[in-house]
Amino acid sequence: MSRLNSRYLGAVSALAVAVSLACAGGASAQVASSTLRGTVYDGQQAEAGGTVKATEVSTGYVTRGRIGPDGNYVMSGLRPGSYRIDVTTADGQMTSDTVTLALGQVGTLDLDVGVVTTASAPGATEIGDVVITGRRVFEVRTPEVATNVSQAQINNLPQISRNFLNFAALAPGVRVTEGETERTISAGGQGASAINVFIDGQNQKSTIIDGGVAGQDDSRGNPFPQAGIQEFRVISQNFKAEYEQASSSIITSVTRSGTNEFTGDAFITYQNQDWISQDRFARDRGDPRADLKRLQYGFSVGGPIIEDRLHFFGAYERKDETRSNTVVLNRAAYAGLFGADTGSFAAPFEEDLFFGKLSWSIDDRQRLDVSATYRNEADIRDFGVTNAYSRANQINTDTRSLNIRHQYNGDRFLNEISVDYFEYNYNPTALNFSDYGRSYVIFRDNCPDSNPPSAACPIPVGFQYNVYNREDTVFNTGGQSNNQDIRQRSWTFKDDLTFSDIDWFGLHTLKVGVKYSMQNMYVNKQFGRNPQFIFDVDARPEINGSTSIPVMVSLGAYVPPADVDNNVVGLYVQDDWQISDKLEINLGLRWDYEDNAVNNDYRTPDSIRNMLTAIQALPGYDFPSYFNPTDYITDGRSAFTGAFQPRIGFSYDVYGDERTVIFGGAGRYYDRVGFNFAFDERFKPFQFNKEIFFSVAGGMRGGVNTVAWDPSYLTPAGLDPLLAATPGQGEVFLLNNSMEPPRTDQFNFGVRQKYGPFQAALTLAYGKTSNLFAWYIANAGSETGDRFSGPTPSSVGYPEFRNLIFFGNNDAEQTFKAMYLTVDKPFDTVSNWGMSFAYTLSDAKRNGSRDGGIGGFDFDYNRPGLSPRFPTNQDERHRIVASAIVGLPMDFRLSGLLTLGSGLPFHQWACPRAANPDVCWNGGRPEKHSFIFPNAWAFRQLDLRLTKEFQVWGGDSVEVIFDAINVLNFKNYNGFEQCLCSSEYGDPRTQYLPTRSLQVGLRYRW
């Protein structure tokens, strides 16, 4: 770290400590809690002084507050749930009420000691294992665009996978996309990496690879046991200063705790291949139905250890997916060689999820929560057809966490301190990495006219085996070539401060917070390290006359792993200022710092330095003006210190009755670039595959020098000496020494209306994201084109590097414009139904890399400023997500989830409208179909769940569950013919999951 950065960091840290000491207390951020506030009256007169006590109905935990001189009270740090609110004024008058608060909510409850209330309000709700004993308090005075997803929705809306994050799609501007091997969540027209997820305040951000959420990338599994989630909140825009490292949306969730009643449940769900419709293309090809059995089961249990004081909760969930892949020979003549390796082989997926929690109300002022999670999964895949089972990969994922949180309620403050540990390990490995790979191929007798340009050619010995003369691969066996071990670890300390009794031109709730995280990022990529041999299956004498002696081998060079430490500091201050009973202003400022986020401790190797200098010295050539080598050569980079993020919001209660509220806000938000992309600077120059050719006796054959075969070459150790003597070429990747993380500026304005049990909101939203990252070509032939014609490393005497030099450019930008319309009515047993509706009208455009993702390559333009602006990969103009839960007679319950989308764009080729005449990025749109509205939707999906509850002995119950996903079997396509020159332009080529899928389940509750 530079001296300047050290002084800067020290000064800001000292300021945070000084503020904390001066305040003499702490705060509970809304990341994992809620706030209740209001005014105590006696008739029309505000009561001065007295106490407010909030007792959590389910646990008996007590939180105390005071009534200020103006009759106002604020109680922060409350767990979402139901509370009995007891008020005692300074002159001894008393009243009480019972309310329910949602996660992250700032609810308002005014109380009149002259009016007798009851703790059993008529809106009482009981659904599943959620018991709401008080009327729900709506949140209307907030500038946030936020959607709360209740446990009732999590437990009762239809789904197959038991991933609670599926229901983030209920929020406007959020997309959940299901694939064969992963499920992604994106928002604000950006990719999945732009979101962040918090569980009980613990940051779940993936610091190395894609996905946004650690464990979501390349995984069929779930990040957390659904039975352990109480509820969660999706903040689509304008999240406050306590939130970090996201440029689109925040998802914050709170876990379940034990209560004074010993309760639990056990569940099981089942599905097989006969209950899943084939996609259109598999059916048209006549493919047999793929084998699948999906079994999910688990339990949760919680209760008191000491009533009203100490409680426990635990959950376990297991997911088994038994698939099978078929291995076949495409040429029956070779059955004698490989027949024993053909047939049907299991491709299982297994996941175990554990969660445990202890909650201790030490006294009326203190609460301690200790929780831990463990996730382990293994997925065997990547074999079948002409790839033997031995070619399989096993995708391993492990996540571990520990979270310790302590709250202390003082007379005028609340202090929350937490210490947490988080570890995520992504470890895809070849199932048989110790067994060398073998490909048996047929070689042609002659070459096509274009490769090389002659009518016929003799069979050469050398590289042309692999490129020009391989007619067909008959069979592949042995281990795959690659292993990876990617791990992130962190210890994080946080202290949050809230002061809710500051009266200065109105009532202020002031929060100050500090975070320090010690992160470790470990990346070990063994690409090509398991030898891959190619054999002539016909044993032709003109090649080497044997199926036991390989024609060639490919082996990757060893590159040491990166083991990097990164220190993270975050500071914030947030002031929620009630100027009057109608107007509230929310002011926040956040600052984040990472000392080694993008190879700050890296030194550019001398060979790369000298190569760049040699190219720059070539007569008549200058690097393009957008690439200055001195900006990319480093002896250690200075960390970025400019991540100041001001945030402001307002809400105005038009009539002072919390029914009609105008709100708006603006804010700046910094995200981060995954270390996996920065790692390429360390890795790519030294990672390459070398090819070595063999014959029986060695020597020159067909103009290529071959090595006499020796069985010791079947191992990496035996091949490494040959590898060292064989030339190879790495790729040069360079990062800018002043690279900044992605930054988004968000603005929103809207109106929120409450009428009866409904709450609706109409919001206009805008976001501009800068510093988007992609790789470009540095050694281009000119400023605006000739990207592949500039001087190469080989031309100046550095043949160890390939022709193209890549540099990371973070000048690309994206804009997002949207209108959100939401309507919500929570389920209650009085009306016996509930619903939600979210409509998003949006437009998202960007420039730069056409793949639209962080870390992509742009081979079409020299820099982002030259590329056209085009729709992002997540640009869906119209989207509707609606849900409903309806209680039916005889203890039946029906719920549904409807998703409608106008479709994502796709690239067009040979497009005359583009700046580049050969391409029109994301210029195509899929065909629309009718559903409610004519010709409006390219994506349509209706999911239904029907349940029937049976009461059994001792008040226990058994629930039968039937899920029907995509019940109408709509065909939603995600791949299309892209060439405008084709008569089939726009015709679909691939299909989204899910097709129509049925599942049955049982749940036993006690």
Side-chain angles (χ1 to χ4, degrees):
M1 189 187 305
S2 70
R3 182 179 302 175
L4 174 61
N5 287 341
S6 298
R7 288 201 302 263
Y8 192 86
L9 177 58
V12 177
S13 300
L15 175 62
V17 173
V19 171
S20 300
L21 292 176
C23 294
S28 175
Q30 291 180 28
V31 172
S33 61
S34 306
T35 298
L36 183 67
R37 65 188 183 187
T39 304
V40 178
Y41 294 95
D42 185 357
Q44 299 297 317
Q45 183 69 35
E47 283 285 333
T51 61
V52 180
K53 183 176 73 171
T55 304
E56 189 174 12
V57 174
S58 62
T59 64
Y61 293 177
V62 173
T63 301
R64 299 184 186 276
R66 61 186 298 275
I67 303 171
D70 53 0
N72 293 321
Y73 71 92
V74 178
M75 306 185 76
S76 301
L78 300 175
R79 272 183 50 84
S82 294
Y83 289 86
R84 188 181 68 250
I85 309 300
D86 298 305
V87 170
T88 303
T89 64
D91 58 1
Q93 297 186 80
M94 302 175 64
T95 190
S96 66
D97 202 348
T98 304
V99 296
T100 296
L101 296 172
L103 174 63
Q105 183 178 13
V106 180
T108 301
L109 177 66
D110 294 334
L111 296 129
D112 192 336
V113 294
V115 177
V116 178
T117 60
T118 175
S120 299
T125 298
E126 182 173 352
I127 178 168
D129 48 4
V130 181
V131 179
I132 301 173
T133 58
R135 56 191 172 91
R136 183 178 295 274
V137 178
F138 281 97
E139 181 184 33
V140 291
R141 291 181 181 175
T142 176
E144 293 180 335
V145 181
T147 302
N148 280 79
V149 180
S150 67
Q151 192 177 132
Q153 291 170 302
I154 295 171
N155 285 344
N156 290 277
L157 289 178
Q159 67 162 331
I160 294 291
S161 65
R162 289 188 62 85
N163 187 338
F164 78 94
L165 291 175
N166 291 341
F167 302 121
L170 296 173
V174 177
R175 286 181 52 88
V176 177
T177 304
E178 180 178 348
E180 178 64 27
T181 59
E182 67 179 5
R183 186 174 297 248
T184 60
I185 303 169
S186 57
Q190 300 188 54
S193 295
I195 70 165
N196 201 352
V197 172
F198 296 84
I199 297 180
D200 284 342
Q202 186 179 53
N203 189 334
Q204 308 283 308
K205 186 81 169 182
S206 178
T207 60
I208 302 179
I209 59 177
D210 280 342
V213 188
Q216 281 291 108
D217 186 50
D218 198 27
S219 170
R220 305 180 199 268
N222 302 330
F224 197 86
Q226 178 175 294
I229 295 294
Q230 178 170 323
E231 60 182 282
F232 69 95
R233 178 179 176 93
V234 183
I235 309 176
S236 301
Q237 264 208 328
N238 202 27
F239 36 94
K240 294 182 180 179
E242 52 258 59
Y243 297 101
E244 59 187 316
Q245 291 186 338
S247 53
S248 59
S249 291
I250 289 285
I251 301 174
T252 178
S253 60
V254 64
T255 59
R256 292 175 62 187
S257 298
T259 68
N260 279 335
E261 184 178 358
F262 184 78
T263 60
D265 72 346
F267 74 90
I268 185 169
T269 64
Y270 176 77
Q271 181 185 46
N272 67 36
Q273 71 275 2
D274 295 329
W275 301 351
I276 303 173
S277 297
Q278 282 186 299
D279 71 44
R280 164 193 159 181
F281 303 99
R283 188 177 64 251
D284 290 349
R285 290 191 302 266
D287 293 350
R289 193 182 296 270
D291 290 338
L292 170 66
K293 290 182 176 60
R294 180 181 287 122
L295 185 67
Q296 299 174 94
Y297 55 92
F299 67 89
S300 67
V301 61
I305 299 174
I306 302 174
E307 191 170 333
D308 292 342
R309 289 297 182 189
L310 182 62
H311 301 83
F312 77 95
F313 181 84
Y316 167 74
E317 295 191 9
R318 169 80 176 183
K319 184 175 184 179
D320 284 313
E321 292 187 3
T322 305
R323 290 175 163 84
S324 65
N325 294 345
T326 301
V327 179
V328 298
L329 278 172
N330 59 6
R331 292 178 181 260
Y334 300 98
L337 291 174
F338 308 111
D341 292 315
T342 61
S344 184
F345 299 86
F349 170 83
E350 300 174 347
E351 181 185 49
D352 291 294
L353 291 167
F354 297 87
F355 171 69
K357 185 177 184 180
L358 286 174
S359 301
W360 182 20
S361 179
I362 301 171
D363 53 38
D364 286 358
R365 293 185 179 271
Q366 298 184 79
R367 175 170 175 167
L368 178 69
D369 287 300
V370 180
S371 62
T373 60
Y374 173 73
R375 170 189 178 186
N376 176 266
E377 63 183 52
D379 185 6
I380 296 178
R381 60 169 102 147
D382 304 329
F383 71 95
V385 191
T386 58
N387 292 311
Y389 177 77
S390 59
R391 300 287 285 177
N393 287 314
Q394 180 167 300
I395 313 301
N396 304 300
T397 296
D398 289 278
T399 304
R400 298 172 176 83
S401 71
L402 173 68
N403 195 3
I404 304 171
R405 300 170 60 232
H406 177 266
Q407 286 185 349
Y408 180 81
N409 280 281
D411 289 336
R412 300 191 176 190
F413 65 85
L414 174 71
N415 181 62
E416 182 177 74
I417 188 170
S418 67
V419 177
D420 72 68
Y421 171 78
F422 187 81
E423 178 179 339
Y424 163 50
N425 190 207
Y426 172 70
N427 179 217
T429 64
L431 195 63
N432 296 285
F433 195 68
S434 60
D435 182 16
Y436 56 88
R438 303 176 290 283
S439 293
Y440 294 86
V441 304
I442 298 172
F443 292 100
R444 295 190 184 103
D445 288 328
N446 53 51
C447 302
D449 289 345
S450 58
N451 290 319
S454 62
C457 62
I459 296 177
V461 175
F463 185 62
Q464 287 183 324
Y465 279 137
N466 194 27
V467 178
Y468 299 138
N469 295 93
R470 187 187 303 185
E471 178 180 310
D472 192 15
T473 298
V474 175
F475 204 67
N476 298 310
T477 186
Q480 288 275 18
S481 59
N482 302 332
N483 272 2
Q484 294 186 71
D485 188 7
I486 297 175
R487 183 192 67 226
Q488 68 178 71
R489 285 177 178 164
S490 63
W491 279 101
T492 302
F493 165 86
K494 291 195 295 185
D495 191 19
D496 300 297
L497 304 93
T498 296
F499 306 92
S500 53
D501 197 8
I502 301 174
D503 191 356
W504 180 75
F505 294 100
L507 184 65
H508 296 259
T509 300
L510 181 67
K511 301 180 180 180
V512 179
V514 59
K515 164 191 169 179
Y516 173 64
S517 184
M518 297 177 292
Q519 296 181 350
N520 176 262
M521 296 176 286
Y522 177 83
V523 180
N524 185 10
K525 296 186 178 182
Q526 301 181 59
F527 285 176
R529 287 300 295 157
N530 189 25
Q532 301 295 299
F533 292 90
I534 294 178
F535 294 83
D536 174 22
V537 73
D538 290 323
R540 293 156 60 171
E542 62 267 36
I543 299 178
N544 60 22
S546 173
T547 57
S548 60
I549 296 177
V551 174
M552 63 172 292
V553 67
S554 175
L555 181 65
Y558 171 74
V559 182
D563 193 349
V564 172
D565 292 321
N566 181 38
N567 294 293
V568 181
V569 174
L571 308 172
Y572 77 87
V573 59
Q574 177 76 42
D575 182 14
D576 297 334
W577 180 13
Q578 289 180 268
I579 297 176
S580 68
D581 61 352
K582 293 185 176 182
L583 178 63
E584 179 169 329
I585 302 293
N586 308 99
L587 303 170
L589 178 64
R590 183 175 186 91
W591 179 77
D592 289 303
Y593 173 88
E594 298 186 59
D595 71 357
N596 195 16
V598 285
N599 291 339
N600 297 84
D601 61 351
Y602 176 73
R603 183 186 184 277
T604 307
D606 290 337
S607 57
I608 295 177
R609 295 169 185 253
N610 296 336
M611 179 269 295
L612 293 172
T613 301
I615 291 179
Q616 198 168 28
L618 286 173
Y621 180 78
D622 289 314
F623 279 111
S625 61
Y626 52 79
F627 176 78
N628 182 354
T630 59
D631 293 336
Y632 294 82
I633 295 173
T634 178
D635 290 307
R637 298 185 174 98
S638 298
F640 178 61
T641 58
F644 289 96
Q645 302 155 78
R647 302 173 189 183
I648 182 171
F650 79 93
S651 59
Y652 182 73
D653 188 350
V654 176
Y655 304 107
D657 58 0
E658 293 193 333
R659 300 185 66 82
T660 305
V661 175
I662 299 171
F663 64 92
R668 170 163 289 185
Y669 310 87
Y670 276 96
D671 206 341
R672 68 187 325 276
V673 173
F675 183 74
N676 196 38
F677 304 114
F679 174 74
D680 282 343
E681 185 181 41
R682 298 172 178 258
F683 181 67
K684 291 291 189 179
F686 310 104
Q687 187 275 322
F688 42 80
N689 282 13
K690 294 185 178 182
E691 292 172 329
I692 302 169
F693 302 93
F694 300 106
S695 61
V696 176
M700 297 298 296
R701 286 174 59 86
V704 175
N705 189 27
T706 65
V707 175
W709 174 248
D710 187 292
S712 66
Y713 298 149
L714 289 174
T715 66
L719 280 170
D720 274 334
L722 292 180
L723 186 75
T726 304
Q729 289 186 309
E731 293 180 305
V732 176
F733 281 69
L734 302 166
L735 290 177
N736 195 301
N737 296 328
S738 301
M739 195 174 80
E740 297 182 9
R743 181 189 71 232
T744 298
D745 294 318
Q746 292 182 359
F747 306 86
N748 69 284
F749 179 82
V751 59
R752 195 173 284 115
Q753 179 68 48
K754 184 171 67 173
Y755 46 96
F758 294 90
Q759 180 170 283
L762 179 66
T763 308
L764 302 178
Y766 174 81
K768 180 178 180 180
T769 302
S770 306
N771 302 336
L772 292 174
F773 179 79
W775 295 107
Y776 289 80
I777 299 171
N779 54 331
S782 71
E783 288 282 329
T784 58
D786 299 323
R787 290 171 296 284
F788 309 108
S789 62
T792 66
S794 295
S795 69
V796 293
Y798 291 86
E800 65 267 36
F801 300 121
R802 295 184 185 176
N803 290 341
L804 299 181
I805 301 170
F806 298 103
F807 72 101
N809 188 309
N810 63 331
D811 292 342
E813 296 181 341
Q814 173 176 317
T815 58
F816 177 71
K817 305 172 186 176
M819 182 190 76
Y820 302 142
L821 174 63
T822 60
V823 181
D824 179 67
K825 178 198 175 295
F827 183 96
D828 65 84
T829 52
V830 175
S831 65
N832 214 22
W833 70 282
M835 58 80 64
S836 70
F837 174 88
Y839 167 65
T840 303
L841 169 66
S842 65
D843 177 83
K845 288 187 171 63
R846 63 165 291 156
N847 61 6
S849 172
R850 71 167 176 253
D851 74 356
I854 295 176
F857 291 89
D858 190 351
F859 289 157
D860 298 277
Y861 295 93
N862 296 51
R863 55 189 174 85
L866 297 177
S867 78
R869 295 184 66 81
F870 57 93
T872 72
N873 292 344
Q874 302 297 324
D875 179 47
E876 188 171 45
R877 300 298 170 83
H878 302 273
R879 186 171 182 82
I880 289 175
V881 180
S883 73
I885 304 172
V886 181
L888 302 175
M890 300 176 61
D891 292 326
F892 281 93
R893 184 178 297 129
L894 178 66
S895 63
L897 184 62
L898 174 66
T899 304
L900 302 172
S902 59
L904 298 177
F906 59 88
H907 295 320
Q908 294 173 331
W909 303 108
C911 178
R913 299 188 302 276
N916 181 334
D918 296 326
V919 63
C920 187
W921 295 350
N922 279 343
R925 295 282 174 171
E927 181 183 359
K928 308 293 193 300
H929 305 279
S930 299
F931 189 88
I932 303 174
F933 300 99
N935 300 318
W937 313 111
F939 186 96
R940 300 165 295 170
Q941 182 173 322
L942 175 63
D943 305 334
L944 296 175
R945 170 177 284 188
L946 181 66
T947 66
K948 163 64 176 174
E949 189 172 37
F950 298 91
Q951 300 298 318
V952 293
W953 54 89
D956 298 351
S957 65
V958 174
E959 187 177 38
V960 180
I961 304 168
F962 176 72
D963 287 295
I965 306 300
N966 194 4
V967 65
L968 300 178
N969 203 23
F970 287 123
K971 297 171 181 61
N972 300 309
Y973 299 113
N974 63 348
F976 305 90
E977 171 57 50
Q978 299 179 358
C979 187
L980 290 166
C981 61
S982 171
S983 61
E984 297 179 346
Y985 168 76
D987 287 353
R989 295 290 184 261
T990 55
Q991 187 173 336
Y992 277 116
L993 294 177
T995 57
R996 180 164 54 211
S997 304
L998 308 179
Q999 179 175 270
V1000 296
L1002 284 174
R1003 186 183 186 200
Y1004 175 71
R1005 286 199 302 266
W1006 68 87

